[in-house]
Amino acid sequence: MNYMKKLSRRSFLGNSTSLSLAGFFGLMPALDRSNQKPKGDFVHHVYFWMKNPDSAEDKAKLIEGLKTLKGIKAIKLARIGVPANTNRDVIERGYGVSWLLFFDNLEEQEVYQKHPVHLKFVENYSHLWEKVIVYDSVDV
Amino acid sequence: MNYMKKLSRRSFLGNSTSLSLAGFFGLMPALDRSNQKPKGDFVHHVYFWMKNPDSAEDKAKLIEGLKTLKGIKAIKLARIGVPANTNRDVIERGYGVSWLLFFDNLEEQEVYQKHPVHLKFVENYSHLWEKVIVYDSVDV
């Protein structure tokens, strides 16, 4: 709200950066623009490479941990996946678990990052993975 | 349908693999299991590294090309993104464009791969990218 106020006091003339940043940081309402589009303009996709890639038990444990995160309110959509049965040169199959989240905007994603349930998850389950790659993207 | 028939003839006793594969390949109906979950059990996420990473024109062209794919019926959800304004060690920011698709199952994804509009897209726009990484995952 304060940010909105600050923004409205500003002159936008010759200040297109502010305008595009407003969109970027989710000040534009997160509307469903088509029936294909769920809420949330921010896509957070995490891929976990397991410390013990052959341990089904470890993978199940990590999935159990990720499920605890689903209750965090900032999340608009959450999906847990494992590599599909596709295999072409361009397909990365080395990871163990995929964790896909939609948020309304960057701020909501930050709420999630700092959420006690998320911090607890990292504390309790990070021994299971060796590497993590995160792709954060915003809709165009 | 033939696969369903074949499956129903099988004994599931001591054959939990068949059961989980049935779920895996989308024979389970693609229901919305919660209000957070859209249709489709198959997530296809493509990241494009641009040949000219600094060319806004090339990026716009690629995005224009991706938009032509959105009409392909097999697609349940399509989102085009660019790297967000986040920056931690684990975050990959080198790609230019993110292309996220949901399908009902592996077969529908294959329909998309072979669709004339998709083949045309590759023909017309592949000169714009240098590298592509694809993550295909199925819901657990």
Side-chain angles (χ1 to χ4, degrees):
Chain A
M1 273 314 243
N2 285 334
Y3 187 47
M4 287 294 287
K5 269 187 203 158
K6 236 183 269 171
L7 217 61
S8 66
R9 272 191 237 112
R10 268 187 181 167
S11 163
F12 285 128
L13 284 172
N15 195 352
S16 63
T17 313
S18 299
L19 263 179
S20 64
L21 280 176
F24 218 75
F25 292 112
L27 287 172
M28 307 300 212
L31 297 171
D32 280 16
R33 285 179 204 108
S34 81
N35 57 2
Q36 288 197 317
K37 177 114 175 25
K39 269 191 273 184
D41 278 341
F42 191 104
V43 175
H44 176 69
H45 207 156
V46 187
Y47 303 96
F48 295 93
W49 272 255
M50 307 300 290
K51 204 163 274 173
N52 304 309
D54 298 328
S55 168
E57 200 191 334
D58 278 16
K59 201 183 270 195
K61 252 189 239 167
L62 177 56
I63 289 168
E64 168 204 289
L66 290 170
K67 282 179 181 167
T68 68
L69 301 176
K70 285 192 171 184
I72 298 175
K73 273 193 187 169
I75 299 172
K76 291 300 160 200
L77 173 139
R79 299 183 70 157
I80 304 170
V82 292
N85 199 17
T86 50
N87 209 348
R88 292 176 289 133
D89 279 353
V90 291
I91 298 175
E92 172 61 66
R93 299 178 46 79
Y95 65 101
V97 179
S98 150
W99 174 235
L100 172 63
L101 297 177
F102 289 178
F103 295 98
D104 275 344
N105 50 48
L106 181 87
E107 289 82 357
E108 291 293 293
Q109 194 266 158
E110 278 168 0
V111 167
Y112 159 80
Q113 289 294 342
K114 292 168 192 160
H115 196 286
V117 173
H118 183 242
L119 299 176
K120 199 82 192 158
F121 163 79
V122 175
E123 195 184 315
N124 290 343
Y125 295 93
S126 60
H127 67 281
L128 296 172
W129 64 79
E130 184 181 84
K131 185 179 80 168
V132 156
I133 298 184
V134 176
Y135 294 82
D136 280 341
S137 54
V138 286
D139 284 8
V140 291
Chain B
M1 274 311 242
N2 285 332
Y3 187 46
M4 285 294 287
K5 270 189 202 158
K6 238 183 270 169
L7 217 62
S8 64
R9 272 191 237 114
R10 269 186 181 168
S11 162
F12 284 128
L13 284 172
N15 194 351
S16 63
T17 313
S18 299
L19 264 177
S20 64
L21 281 177
F24 221 71
F25 290 113
L27 287 172
M28 308 299 213
L31 297 170
D32 280 17
R33 285 178 203 108
S34 81
N35 57 4
Q36 287 197 317
K37 176 109 175 33
K39 269 191 274 182
D41 279 339
F42 191 104
V43 175
H44 175 71
H45 208 156
V46 186
Y47 302 96
F48 295 93
W49 272 255
M50 307 301 288
K51 205 163 274 174
N52 305 309
D54 299 328
S55 167
E57 199 192 335
D58 277 16
K59 202 183 271 196
K61 252 190 239 168
L62 177 55
I63 289 167
E64 168 204 288
L66 290 170
K67 283 180 180 166
T68 67
L69 301 176
K70 285 192 171 184
I72 298 176
K73 274 192 184 170
I75 299 172
K76 291 299 159 199
L77 174 138
R79 297 181 71 156
I80 304 169
V82 293
N85 200 18
T86 51
N87 209 348
R88 292 176 289 133
D89 278 353
V90 292
I91 298 175
E92 172 61 65
R93 299 178 46 79
Y95 65 101
V97 179
S98 152
W99 174 234
L100 172 63
L101 297 177
F102 290 177
F103 295 98
D104 276 343
N105 51 48
L106 180 86
E107 289 81 0
E108 290 293 292
Q109 193 264 159
E110 279 169 359
V111 167
Y112 159 79
Q113 289 293 341
K114 293 169 192 162
H115 195 288
V117 173
H118 183 242
L119 299 178
K120 198 81 194 160
F121 163 79
V122 175
E123 193 185 316
N124 290 344
Y125 295 93
S126 60
H127 67 280
L128 296 171
W129 64 79
E130 183 180 85
K131 185 178 80 165
V132 156
I133 298 185
V134 176
Y135 294 82
D136 281 342
S137 54
V138 287
D139 283 10
V140 293

